[in-house]
Amino acid sequence: MSTLTTPDAVRARAAELDAADPLAGYRERFVPMGEGRGAEAGEVLAYLDGNSLGRPLKAAGEALDRIVREAWGTRLIRSWDEQWMDLPLRLGDRVGEVALGAAPGQVVVADSTTVMIYKFLRAGLEAARTADPARRQIVVDTENFPTDRYIAEGIAAECDAELVWIEPDPATGVTVDEVREAVGPATAVVLLSHVAYKSAWIADLPGITRAVHEAGALVLWDLCHSAGVIPVDLDAHEVDLAVGCTYKYLNGGPGAPAFGYVAARHQASMRQPIQGWMGHAEPFRMGPGYEPSPGMRRFISGTPPVLGMVPLGEMVELLAEAGMPAVTAKAADLTAFVVEVAEGLLARHGVRVDSPADPARRGGHITLGHPDSRELTARLWEAGVVPDFRNPDGIRIGMSPLSTSFAEVAEGLLVLDGLLAGRG
Ligand SMILES: Cc1ncc(COP(=O)(O)O)c(C=O)c1O
């Protein structure tokens, strides 16, 4: 039973949690959300959407200014040789080390998540099918993010592959048993999200990866909602392929490029479908015929988005400084706090918690269920509280451990309480 049944109790608990938070000081490193003029002036009071678009670091602006003045402004095209050609791989290695549990030489930063999923799913399908022509199935789930499902559908049509759908419980997510039932001798690739974008369910990545391998297939994990917030030990669990975005918990900014991981053991046998000059073994030879570069470079297609990688570079260093274990621990405290408020103060308005009850099974956000969620979310935005609405009736409370305080979460949820109370 939650004891947080009054606004005072909620505020007092938030103050206690903020005072004990070893990461509290990191908030200062982000660009302020306003000048304290309030929601009437259009300012955000509680940003509860950091799992959709992370806030910018002050250092990101400084680094962008620096690159414009220095590497781009004065070194000009020489910067390609001096630092930019290797940037997708250098930064990929750093993302891999800090957030993914990946040894160097297996991560690249490029494209968008959507494009990267396309490239890797096609590459995986082709590799599995080349090894065994009977493997023509792609396993996906009905609760995965739309882009994952749409790409799988497109590839199935394009490559004469067959889709096998898992239909998980929307309140949780895909289980090992469901995967075991779906895979078999015809499976080529299984595409799943590590953390479910609606419920925040953490799939059993080690168990599912093992089940897929026992069936002789490959797994492609979408890490959009886990990278930078919960541990992802790709090498330790022998994951084959993974993709994720960098604008959520990696604070790369709107449209920042994605990252992609291909286990070293697969790289030589994977052919990605968008074979452009930058993935060529010798891009500047500009000769006839495509010859893939050895290693991760072959997964690059065209000119890398150098400016788009700058904020990500800053955030990865901040995560390294704070340490992923501390970030994960704070994420768990933040979600536990939301659950406590929901089960205390908000339960009397019929608010449900639509994320897993087991803290070990949920990522960095909590989805609250209420029949009027769509309208409530709109009214929260007007009041300077910014969560996300998720179909059919969820208010998604997304917190980012280095930039979100407990007081901010408390204020946001108290505004929600006020809106619900006012409806009488
Ligand atoms: C699980 C998941 N996959 C993919 C995407 C988006 O892909 P893209 O970055 O190409 O828009 C999102 C965006 O929120 C997501 O949550």
Side-chain angles (χ1 to χ4, degrees):
M1 267 307 279
S2 170
T3 55
L4 303 186
T5 51
T6 65
D8 283 350
V10 170
R11 286 202 179 94
R13 180 103 178 95
E16 230 173 76
L17 289 163
D18 275 326
D21 175 12
L23 301 182
Y26 283 97
R27 261 169 81 74
E28 291 303 311
R29 311 277 276 270
F30 292 82
V31 174
M33 295 189 290
E35 292 155 4
R37 285 179 295 129
E40 300 74 31
E43 290 186 356
V44 172
L45 310 180
Y47 188 56
L48 305 177
D49 220 347
N51 64 331
S52 201
L53 177 66
R55 287 174 54 191
L57 280 172
K58 290 174 185 164
E62 290 153 16
L64 281 164
D65 180 56
R66 214 165 35 244
I67 196 172
V68 169
R69 281 187 292 101
E70 295 169 12
W72 182 15
T74 60
R75 297 306 296 161
L76 290 154
I77 203 163
R78 293 172 293 185
S79 289
W80 278 111
D81 292 335
E82 291 166 1
Q83 47 176 304
W84 293 339
M85 277 302 278
D86 289 336
L87 183 62
L89 301 167
R90 223 173 37 243
L91 186 54
D93 280 350
R94 197 69 183 127
V95 172
E97 180 186 353
V98 174
L100 307 179
Q106 302 178 104
V107 180
V108 69
V109 177
D111 307 312
S112 66
T113 324
T114 298
V115 172
M116 197 79 97
I117 294 173
Y118 174 78
K119 285 160 69 161
F120 282 20
L121 192 55
R122 281 241 355 209
L125 174 66
E126 188 181 297
R129 226 187 213 175
T130 304
D132 176 356
R135 294 197 178 272
R136 50 180 300 276
Q137 290 180 343
I138 298 171
V139 176
V140 260
D141 75 281
T142 50
E143 287 299 307
N144 206 344
F145 190 79
T147 219
D148 302 66
R149 293 182 275 115
Y150 302 160
I151 288 171
E153 287 170 5
I155 289 179
E158 195 173 75
C159 302
D160 188 30
E162 187 189 339
L163 291 185
V164 174
W165 291 96
I166 295 174
E167 290 185 37
D169 178 352
T172 53
V174 179
T175 63
V176 179
D177 287 345
E178 285 169 331
V179 171
R180 275 195 201 289
E181 259 176 51
V183 295
T187 313
V189 189
V190 177
L191 165 63
L192 297 172
S193 276
H194 185 198
V195 171
Y197 80 105
K198 283 197 254 182
S199 72
W201 165 262
I202 303 179
D204 178 353
L205 181 144
I208 289 176
T209 300
R210 258 194 316 275
V212 172
H213 288 170
E214 278 162 22
L218 300 170
V219 68
L220 167 53
W221 284 103
D222 181 331
L223 306 178
C224 281
H225 288 273
S226 53
V229 70
I230 62 165
V232 189
D233 296 317
L234 296 179
D235 285 353
H237 301 308
E238 299 185 356
V239 165
D240 304 297
L241 302 158
V243 167
C245 68
T246 65
Y247 46 77
K248 300 183 191 297
Y249 299 104
L250 295 172
N251 301 62
F259 65 81
Y261 164 95
V262 181
R265 64 185 179 281
H266 291 309
Q267 289 172 11
S269 61
M270 294 256 174
R271 193 191 68 87
Q272 63 105 339
I274 307 178
Q275 43 182 55
W277 73 301
M278 280 278 175
H280 193 279
E282 289 181 76
F284 291 99
R285 200 175 70 200
M286 300 183 168
Y290 180 74
E291 192 189 314
S293 162
M296 275 312 281
R297 178 169 286 286
R298 68 174 53 195
F299 297 97
I300 297 176
S301 295
T303 304
V306 171
L307 297 183
M309 293 187 216
V310 170
L312 168 63
E314 297 301 318
M315 184 61 183
V316 172
E317 294 315 321
L318 196 75
L319 282 170
E321 188 186 320
M324 277 306 299
V327 170
T328 301
K330 180 166 175 191
D333 290 345
L334 284 162
T335 55
F337 179 55
V338 175
V339 170
E340 251 188 293
V341 178
E343 290 178 346
L345 193 67
L346 301 177
R348 65 199 166 117
H349 306 300
V351 170
R352 309 179 309 269
V353 175
D354 283 352
S355 290
D358 177 1
R361 281 260 78 89
R362 60 183 185 233
H365 66 270
I366 291 287
T367 296
L368 301 177
H370 189 279
D372 302 331
S373 286
R374 186 188 291 275
E375 183 207 331
L376 286 165
T377 304
R379 296 200 44 207
L380 285 167
W381 277 52
E382 281 165 20
V385 176
V386 180
D388 233 343
F389 168 74
R390 279 293 172 265
N391 253 336
D393 62 354
I395 303 177
R396 200 175 64 170
I397 309 291
M399 297 149 292
S400 195
L402 294 181
S403 60
T404 309
S405 71
F406 292 91
E408 184 182 0
V409 175
E411 287 315 309
L413 296 180
L414 289 175
V415 172
L416 175 60
D417 178 56
L419 289 176
L420 286 161
R423 299 153 69 87

